[in-house]
């Protein structure tokens, strides 16, 4: 599903963020990406949705080499992946319903099919009753759940999460994890960068640790392995 071969990333200012990574993630896996600040986690994650381009190496997702795709192909590539962030990135002037519908591919879809799909994903994140609300009327956890609904509305094969619980209190973070596990159980591959030691050590999954731009550990049902 996701393969990286000898991937390197040097930023234009000379910082060597990723220094030769090989990785294979199978369909349906749930993977945590951990490591100290500045280790290269964000760069690793950003290359997966082509927010950053590797300097060298191949990144193959669903058979497409992200290192080789043309700029104009990027939107098509991103259709098959959902992304969520620490700061949610919702559009403040749109309602919950509109935030999700806006992200939906609506080529030749009837209004009723769009409505059915949007309400269906809002049900998965337990927000059907807040469809008419605006982001600033929601708690942080609810905003992240809208972002998750938006990320999965096109049924992507991969969901990429960059510190999705970083702005949330512990209880809300567990709720978000319940939803991510549910989505994973429905077949979506999940790659999640996180600093949440409690979650990683409790909901045991594959752990990929990055240090100095290299894979320092890669363990099934691994541990967080750092103090914080
Ligand atoms: P992490 O997510 O583990 O904190 P990052 O991938 O954000 O690590 O950063 C890895 C290294 O790359 C750090 O030294 C960071 O300062 C540097 N870096 C990150 N983004 C950029 C950028 N856009 N330009 C230059 N250097 C960057
Ligand atoms: P939390 O305790 O999870 O942070 P809040 O106290 O922010 O949640 O909100 C509690 C509930 O009230 C949430 O379901 C939220 O959607 C709702 N709510 C908060 N602010 C508003 C508002 N301005 N208008 C309507 N509903 C709101």
């Amino acid at each position: 599903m996701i393969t990286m071969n000898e991937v390197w990333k040097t930023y234009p200012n000379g910082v060597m963020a990723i220094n030769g990574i090989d990785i294979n993630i199978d369909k349906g896996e749930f993977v945590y990406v951990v490591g100290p600040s500045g280790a290269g986690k964000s760069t690793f994650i950003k290359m997966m949705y082509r927010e950053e381009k590797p300097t060298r190496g191949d990144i193959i997702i669903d058979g497409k080499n992200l290192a080789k795709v043309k700029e104009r192909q990027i939107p098509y590539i991103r259709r098959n992946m959902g992304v969520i962030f620490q700061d949610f990135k919702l559009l403040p002037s749109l309602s919950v319903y509109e935030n999700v519908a806006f992200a939906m591919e609506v080529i030749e879809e009837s209004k009723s099919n769009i409505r059915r799909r949007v309400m269906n994903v809002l049900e998965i994140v337990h927000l059907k009753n807040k469809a008419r609300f605006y982001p600033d009327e929601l708690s942080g956890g609810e905003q992240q759940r809208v972002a998750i609904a938006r990320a999965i509305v096109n049924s992507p094969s991969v969901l990429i999460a960059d510190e999705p619980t970083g702005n949330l209190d512990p209880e809300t973070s567990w709720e978000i994890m319940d939803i991510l596990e549910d989505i994973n159980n429905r077949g979506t591959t999940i790659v999640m960068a996180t600093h949440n030691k409690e979650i990683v050590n409790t909901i045991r999954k594959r752990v990929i640790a990055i240090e100095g731009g290299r894979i320092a550990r890669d363990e099934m049902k691994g541990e967080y392995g750092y103090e914080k």
Side-chain angles (χ1 to χ4, degrees):
M1 162 97 339
I2 302 174
T3 301
M4 291 195 183
N5 286 328
E6 267 301 296
V7 168
W8 296 70
K9 173 70 184 180
T10 303
Y11 283 106
N13 64 356
V15 172
M16 295 171 72
I18 295 292
N19 302 302
I21 282 191
D22 292 287
I23 203 86
N24 219 336
I25 296 171
D26 287 335
K27 184 166 171 50
E29 277 199 89
F30 193 127
V31 180
Y32 296 119
V33 178
V34 306
S37 272
K41 302 180 297 296
S42 285
T43 305
F44 177 78
I45 290 267
K46 282 176 179 166
M47 289 192 299
M48 282 187 187
Y49 60 96
R50 247 312 284 273
E51 177 71 19
E52 292 292 348
K53 192 177 176 176
T55 315
R56 262 209 273 155
D58 297 320
I59 302 175
I60 295 150
I61 299 190
D62 266 348
K64 296 230 169 49
N65 191 344
L66 298 200
K68 301 244 156 71
V69 299
K70 302 260 182 292
E71 293 299 319
R72 63 185 153 77
Q73 292 177 301
I74 294 173
Y76 299 93
I77 301 288
R78 291 211 182 128
R79 265 175 212 175
N80 200 30
M81 48 183 73
V83 187
I84 59 172
F85 306 93
Q86 180 167 356
D87 60 355
F88 324 132
K89 298 195 196 294
L90 299 176
L91 295 169
S93 61
L94 300 184
S95 69
V96 166
Y97 183 95
E98 290 161 347
N99 262 281
V100 177
F102 186 72
M104 195 174 159
E105 295 302 328
V106 290
I107 308 146
E108 309 212 337
E109 279 287 4
S110 66
K111 269 214 164 105
S112 66
N113 278 345
I114 294 169
R115 189 176 167 76
R116 193 178 309 127
R117 179 65 192 155
V118 172
M119 292 316 279
N120 188 261
V121 290
L122 287 178
E123 189 164 18
I124 291 172
V125 300
H126 314 304
L127 277 179
K128 237 172 130 177
N129 58 340
K130 297 254 162 105
R132 292 171 188 277
F133 282 54
Y134 285 80
D136 69 0
E137 299 174 319
L138 302 178
S139 68
E142 289 171 327
Q143 290 182 56
Q144 190 59 295
R145 287 189 273 142
V146 177
I148 293 171
R150 179 180 62 182
I152 63 170
V153 73
N154 295 316
S155 307
S157 55
V158 181
L159 178 63
I160 293 164
D162 197 353
E163 302 228 23
T165 65
N167 276 338
L168 303 174
D169 60 51
E171 196 187 322
T172 309
S173 300
W174 290 110
E175 289 168 21
I176 294 298
M177 289 308 297
D178 276 346
I179 288 167
L180 293 181
E181 282 203 279
D182 179 30
I183 290 165
N184 179 238
N185 288 334
R186 293 165 190 256
T188 307
T189 306
I190 298 187
V191 181
M192 168 176 159
T194 185
H195 277 122
N196 197 315
K197 181 178 181 175
E198 286 67 37
I199 284 175
V200 174
N201 287 345
T202 305
I203 309 177
R204 300 293 285 270
K205 308 278 187 194
R206 180 175 174 187
V207 173
I208 295 176
I210 299 184
E211 294 177 20
R214 297 175 201 271
I215 307 284
R217 269 186 294 137
D218 182 356
E219 295 165 341
M220 293 297 168
K221 298 190 188 295
E223 285 186 28
Y224 184 70
Y226 303 98
E227 273 315 305
K228 64 175 181 66

